[in-house]
C-alpha cells in the first residue's frame, strides 16, 4: 500500500500511517482502550502507546493503516511473524482496529487495507480479535463473512 496507491472510499483516504499521525492515533487509542474493557486490568499509559505506535509504524514486521477525513478517524494495526508451530509460515495478529463511531462506515475498507498490507509483508494467515466489550457477535459475523473462522477463545485476568 504505497501512498501513490492510497485509495479513497466513502470520501475517506485509506493509507499507511506515518509518524505525523501519532497524536491522532493516541487520541483514538485512548478511546479504544476506554471501550475495550482492558481498564479492568491495567491503566492506560499514553507514553507506552506512543512508543508502541512509533515502533509499529517504523517496523518491517508490523503494519499500521489509517482512515483519514480531514483528520485521522480510523486505525488498524497488526504484527507479522513466523508461526511458532512452523516458522516458515508467516502469520499476522491484529493488535487494534478502531474507527471513531461517527465514521464507522469506513471500517471494512480499513480492514481490507490491513489484510492487503500484512500480505505484502509475507503473511499467509491473519488472526483477528473480537473483544467481548465491543459487539463480539457482530464483529465475529463480519469476520466470518470475509472467510475467517473461529479458532480459539481467549480469557484474561489480573494475577
Amino acid at each position: 500500500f504505497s501512498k501513490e496507491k492510497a485509495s479513497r472510499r466513502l470520501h475517506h483516504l485509506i493509507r499507511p500511517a506515518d509518524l505525523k499521525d501519532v497524536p491522532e492515533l493516541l487520541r483514538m487509542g485512548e478511546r479504544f482502550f476506554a471501550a475495550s474493557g482492558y481498564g479492568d486490568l491495567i491503566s492506560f499509559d499514553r507514553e507506552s502507546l506512543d512508543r508502541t505506535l512509533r515502533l509499529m509504524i517504523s517496523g518491517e514486521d508490523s503494519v499500521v493503516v489509517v482512515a483519514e477525513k480531514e483528520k485521522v478517524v480510523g486505525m488498524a494495526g497488526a504484527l507479522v511473524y513466523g508461526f511458532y508451530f512452523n516458522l516458515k509460515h508467516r502469520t499476522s495478529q491484529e493488535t487494534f482496529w478502531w474507527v471513531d463511531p461517527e465514521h464507522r462506515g469506513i471500517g471494512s475498507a480499513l480492514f481490507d487495507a490491513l489484510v492487503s498490507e500484512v500480505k505484502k509483508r509475507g503473511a499467509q494467515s491473519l488472526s483477528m480479535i473480537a473483544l467481548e466489550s465491543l459487539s463480539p457477535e457482530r464483529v465475529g459475523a463480519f469476520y466470518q463473512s470475509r472467510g475467517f473462522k473461529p479458532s480459539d477463545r481467549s480469557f484474561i485476568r489480573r494475577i
Side-chain angles (χ1 to χ4, degrees), residues 16-89:
D18 58 46
L19 294 175
K20 73 175 177 42
D21 297 318
V22 169
E24 285 300 314
L25 297 176
L26 287 168
R27 176 192 61 78
M28 287 185 297
E30 195 160 5
R31 289 181 84 180
F32 174 64
F33 180 84
S36 72
Y38 290 137
D40 294 343
L41 298 169
I42 60 170
S43 60
F44 180 79
D45 183 61
R46 192 173 181 88
E47 185 177 311
S48 294
L49 181 57
D50 183 89
R51 183 169 181 219
T52 299
L53 290 167
R54 290 176 187 282
L55 288 169
M56 287 183 71
I57 290 168
S58 302
E60 292 180 20
D61 290 330
S62 52
V63 170
V64 180
V65 291
V66 297
E68 182 176 40
K69 184 172 186 174
E70 297 162 11
K71 68 176 186 172
V72 175
V73 297
M75 62 181 184
L79 302 174
V80 180
Y81 53 92
F83 198 84
Y84 42 88
F85 290 119
N86 181 345
L87 293 174
K88 295 175 216 155
H89 178 93

Side-chain angles (χ1 to χ4, degrees), residues 32 35-38 56 75-79 81 92-98 111 114-115 126-144 148-156:
F32 174 64
S36 72
Y38 290 137
M56 287 183 71
M75 62 181 184
L79 302 174
Y81 53 92
S92 185
Q93 173 64 57
E94 171 235 351
T95 53
F96 54 86
W97 178 30
W98 174 265
F111 173 87
L114 182 67
V115 172
L126 171 61
S127 295
M128 296 295 293
I129 297 168
L131 292 172
E132 289 296 316
S133 63
L134 294 171
S135 305
E137 294 82 17
R138 195 184 84 221
V139 173
F142 172 82
Y143 293 153
Q144 289 181 46
F148 287 73
K149 66 177 188 164
S151 65
D152 60 60
R153 273 184 94 149
S154 178
F155 296 85
I156 190 168

